[in-house]
Amino acid sequence: ELVFEMIQTVNVMIRFETSGKKEHLRENADLLQNGERKYRVHVHNGGTILPGIYDIHLPHKYCPFTVKEVEISDEAEQNLTFTVPAGYVTFQYQNSDGTPAEDKRCFVKNEAVGKSQYVASGTEQALLPGNYTVSGWRGNYDLVSFEVAEGEYKTVIIKEKN
């Protein structure tokens, strides 16, 4: 007689959305145990995993976020939604005389993370609360420091030097 002992797995969908606007952050989620990635769950297709307790990490380049000690039960289908605290910033270029300049990329650095990412100016960008700097691209611009609070909407001006 053959006896098979099947391991029970579950299907999970994980969604991260920003506070306030409930903007969906489209990024695969990493499920970690003891700091080691056990699964990467696809943003649209979900994933099949073993039940257990995981830290669920969103490796989004502007809003990286981790939810600690999430229990995944043995329920066959699970939909999990997590809210990421965010503020919204629009970056605008200005000429040295204060007139609007052409939109282009800029480089935003989260001071806590210490890593710069490029963003497009002229569009609203969700960012984690914290202290940032932004530098212009291809031109002579001052480095601008700013702070973002959860739920805040602000415009940051990148002004060309004289």
Side-chain angles (χ1 to χ4, degrees):
E1 171 181 319
L2 288 175
V3 177
F4 293 97
E5 291 190 26
M6 303 295 287
I7 297 173
Q8 180 182 1
T9 58
V10 298
N11 295 319
V12 295
M13 290 292 298
I14 299 174
R15 178 182 172 95
F16 283 92
E17 55 188 36
T18 60
S19 58
K21 289 176 61 174
K22 303 295 182 196
E23 176 185 346
H24 182 202
L25 297 172
R26 291 171 177 81
E27 192 79 38
N28 297 333
D30 291 334
L31 276 66
L32 312 169
Q33 286 181 330
N34 300 321
E36 180 183 336
R37 185 173 77 193
K38 296 293 185 179
Y39 300 98
R40 175 161 281 172
V41 175
H42 192 269
V43 65
H44 298 296
N45 299 329
T48 302
I49 67 170
L50 289 172
I53 296 177
Y54 298 93
D55 291 344
I56 301 179
H57 179 68
L58 173 73
H60 191 273
K61 69 180 181 176
Y62 306 124
C63 293
F65 188 72
T66 301
V67 182
K68 299 280 191 183
E69 299 184 3
V70 176
E71 183 175 357
I72 306 296
S73 70
D74 59 1
E75 184 179 335
E77 301 284 332
Q78 297 177 53
N79 293 305
L80 306 172
T81 301
F82 300 101
T83 301
V84 177
Y88 297 89
V89 178
T90 302
F91 299 99
Q92 291 183 345
Y93 277 93
Q94 280 186 357
N95 296 314
S96 59
D97 64 2
T99 59
E102 178 184 349
D103 284 328
K104 50 189 168 183
R105 73 176 68 181
C106 55
F107 296 93
V108 177
K109 180 179 178 183
N110 181 325
E111 293 300 319
V113 177
K115 185 177 176 185
S116 291
Q117 299 286 343
Y118 78 87
V119 299
S121 65
T123 61
E124 195 171 71
Q125 179 63 55
L127 297 174
L128 291 176
N131 294 310
Y132 292 83
T133 57
V134 61
S135 58
W137 184 71
R138 288 196 179 170
N140 190 14
Y141 302 96
D142 284 322
L143 187 67
V144 179
S145 297
F146 63 98
E147 184 176 351
V148 178
E150 182 175 359
E152 180 179 31
Y153 292 81
K154 69 176 6 175
T155 299
V156 173
I157 303 297
I158 305 167
K159 191 170 183 175
E160 185 177 40
K161 293 181 185 179
N162 288 330

